[in-house]
Amino acid sequence: MSKVISSHAVSVDGYITGREPGPGRGLGAGTMLFDWYFDGDTPSRVFDGFRQSEPSARVFDALAGRIGAVVAGRNTYEDSDHFGGGSPHPTARVFVLSHRPAPEITERQTLIGTGIADAIAAAREAAGDKDVALMGGGVLAEGLAVGLVDEVILHQVPVLLGRGRPFFRELPEHVRLRLVDAVPAPGVTHLHYAVER
């Protein structure tokens, strides 16, 4: 069965954006969270234009190759300028979780307004035997709260942003994680955790 994973670039103090993110401003003052996508010599086999260090490319491509569908939160969708009408992944369909209407949704995107369980179920169906990726702190928190997340991968960038949109949100109870792998790379440390049940 496919897995549900979350894979995010995050600052050491837990932010996934800098100050003042939003439509037309992307991550605000947090763009350095993605410098490692482009600061190396190894081209990604999945994402055109990405050139990473060898360890980052190995980790990133292995994860990106697993993804068959994406569930994104509304903030992520808006901050990313609606993914240009497509998806944040070159081959995976995107499901946008939101309780508000989204007239800008295209035929390549699906709006889900009935909750995280329905969004993950729809994404799993679209993904087939591949995995479902969650994008956004709120989506991850909702998925963890209902026990539907299998893995949390943090691409931890050595910066303290001080403010922005926090990745981790309030949860109804503890969630225990087991470290699967830790890969240091230039400008980022890749931390792969399994969610323990």
Side-chain angles (χ1 to χ4, degrees):
M1 180 180 215
S2 67
K3 291 186 176 181
V4 176
I5 70 171
S6 171
S7 175
H8 280 76
V10 62
S11 67
V12 171
D13 53 349
Y15 292 100
I16 56 173
T17 74
R19 290 168 166 79
E20 300 181 15
R25 295 187 307 275
L27 299 177
T31 57
M32 75 283 296
L33 292 176
F34 295 103
D35 285 351
W36 61 276
Y37 280 5
F38 309 104
D39 66 359
D41 298 324
T42 307
S44 171
R45 296 184 322 271
V46 181
F47 280 73
D48 288 339
F50 285 26
R51 296 186 68 81
Q52 301 160 321
S53 68
E54 187 281 326
S56 286
R58 183 170 20 92
V59 169
F60 182 83
D61 281 351
L63 287 169
R66 294 171 49 184
I67 304 306
V70 176
V71 176
R74 186 62 178 262
N75 284 336
T76 301
Y77 179 69
E78 297 292 346
D79 291 352
S80 302
D81 292 323
H82 313 141
F83 307 120
S87 172
H89 189 284
T91 61
R93 184 165 185 85
V94 65
F95 295 81
V96 179
L97 182 62
S98 180
H99 299 294
R100 293 177 283 139
E104 64 280 354
I105 287 279
T106 70
E107 68 281 350
R108 296 172 55 211
Q109 305 169 333
T110 303
L111 181 68
I112 304 284
T114 53
I116 189 68
D118 288 344
I120 288 174
R124 271 198 157 130
E125 185 175 335
D129 60 353
K130 290 198 164 194
D131 294 337
V132 172
L134 304 182
M135 287 188 73
V139 167
L140 173 60
E142 289 182 44
L144 287 168
V146 296
L148 292 176
V149 180
D150 300 298
E151 298 175 11
V152 175
I153 298 108
L154 303 177
H155 307 288
Q156 191 177 65
V157 176
V159 63
L160 299 170
L161 289 176
R163 198 170 81 201
R165 193 167 288 135
F167 184 41
F168 292 103
R169 310 292 174 91
E170 186 174 319
L171 294 166
E173 59 186 26
H174 289 94
V175 175
R176 296 211 178 267
L177 305 174
R178 177 178 48 82
L179 183 64
V180 174
D181 198 14
V183 178
V188 63
T189 300
H190 306 283
L191 301 168
H192 186 162
Y193 296 95
V195 176
E196 295 197 332
R197 292 190 167 78

